[in-house]
Amino acid sequence: MSTGDTLQLYSYFRSSAAFRVRIALHAKGLAFDTIAIALLENKQGSAEYLALNPQGLVPALYAEGTVIPQSLAIIEYLEERYPQPPLLPHEPVARALVRSMALGVACDIHPLNNLRVLNYLREHIQLDKDSVAHWSQQWIATGFAALEKHVRLHSTAGRYCYGDALSIADVCLMPQMFNARRLKCDLTPYPTLTRICRHLETLSAFVLAAPENQPDAK
């Protein structure tokens, strides 16, 4: 970086939003330090962390003297600051379609099975374990059904969500697929998405970013 700063990622190993950013960082070959924020211990609510990121969420990226919150904002920053290799196509319509896939995961699927939402369902609505699991499975299924159709239209060879190149759509898909598997979702209705993820799992950026390979993995 021009300022000489080291990139620092505030992360939690199992956070799908942090997983997205780790993939993007590794895909671009960027070195970074990981600062683990233990979500299950509510470290994201500590005064120290809230002073850095008032949203109290992970991830957050320290870069060029400031802290950037929100995974897609971070990924867009990385794309603009370090454009090679690209995570967005060149053509405007293609870029919009890739963004729409990424946003479908990050804004429509993920927020409904985020830890704080699930905790609210348990603690305030008093749903039992099975009901909370059903809630997560329902909204993943709804989102994946739409994404499966979208990807079928635009994936060239079934290796990536759009065309035949890595994009932010893939960066968002893989962590959500990790969540779907962990929550024991039925994935048989989504053969295109599962085939793409099988390919993505062979790529070094995804291996390095995987939750089980993080320093705070337990």
Side-chain angles (χ1 to χ4, degrees):
M1 300 178 65
S2 59
T3 62
D5 291 336
T6 299
L7 292 170
Q8 295 178 326
L9 179 66
Y10 294 85
S11 176
Y12 177 64
F13 77 105
R14 213 162 57 191
S15 161
S16 57
F19 191 175
R20 295 172 201 147
V21 174
R22 294 195 303 263
I23 295 168
L25 286 163
H26 286 300
K28 290 183 175 291
L30 298 172
F32 64 97
D33 294 333
T34 298
I35 302 172
I37 303 295
L39 298 188
L40 298 185
E41 298 173 17
N42 196 36
K43 296 300 184 182
Q44 70 275 23
S46 68
E48 181 182 9
Y49 187 64
L50 290 173
L52 292 170
N53 179 10
Q55 293 179 352
L57 301 170
V58 296
L61 183 74
Y62 175 83
E64 302 190 67
T66 194
V67 175
I68 305 169
Q70 289 292 339
S71 62
L72 289 185
I74 294 168
I75 293 168
E76 291 272 3
Y77 160 77
L78 295 174
E79 182 71 0
E80 293 174 3
R81 186 70 173 82
Y82 307 96
Q84 298 300 323
L87 292 175
L88 283 168
H90 177 71
E91 297 298 326
V93 170
R95 291 166 76 90
L97 289 170
V98 165
R99 284 188 171 110
S100 73
M101 293 177 187
L103 290 167
V105 173
C107 297
D108 293 335
I109 303 175
H110 173 244
L112 290 170
N113 53 86
N114 188 279
L115 178 62
R116 62 179 179 171
V117 171
L118 301 185
N119 282 342
Y120 188 89
L121 293 175
R122 295 183 190 103
E123 297 167 10
H124 297 278
I125 310 299
Q126 297 185 337
L127 295 186
D128 60 26
K129 181 179 179 181
D130 290 343
S131 297
V132 172
H134 178 74
W135 166 279
S136 296
Q137 292 161 356
Q138 168 64 33
W139 297 118
I140 291 173
T142 299
F144 271 12
L147 186 60
E148 171 75 15
K149 293 175 183 177
H150 200 181
V151 168
R152 282 183 190 174
L153 291 173
H154 299 290
S155 178
T156 302
R159 302 196 310 161
Y160 300 100
C161 289
Y162 189 91
D164 197 27
L166 182 65
S167 74
I168 62 171
D170 305 295
V171 168
C172 288
L173 171 61
M174 188 69 249
Q176 192 60 59
M177 183 63 75
F178 171 84
N179 279 350
R181 291 169 178 164
R182 187 168 60 87
L183 293 166
K184 299 180 172 26
C185 296
D186 178 11
L187 299 175
T188 54
Y190 324 114
T192 311
L193 300 184
T194 54
R195 183 167 66 252
I196 288 169
C197 285
R198 282 196 299 271
H199 170 66
L200 296 176
E201 287 170 329
T202 69
L203 305 180
S204 62
F206 289 78
V207 173
L208 291 169
E212 64 270 20
N213 293 328
Q214 303 317 302
D216 58 326
K218 298 176 182 178

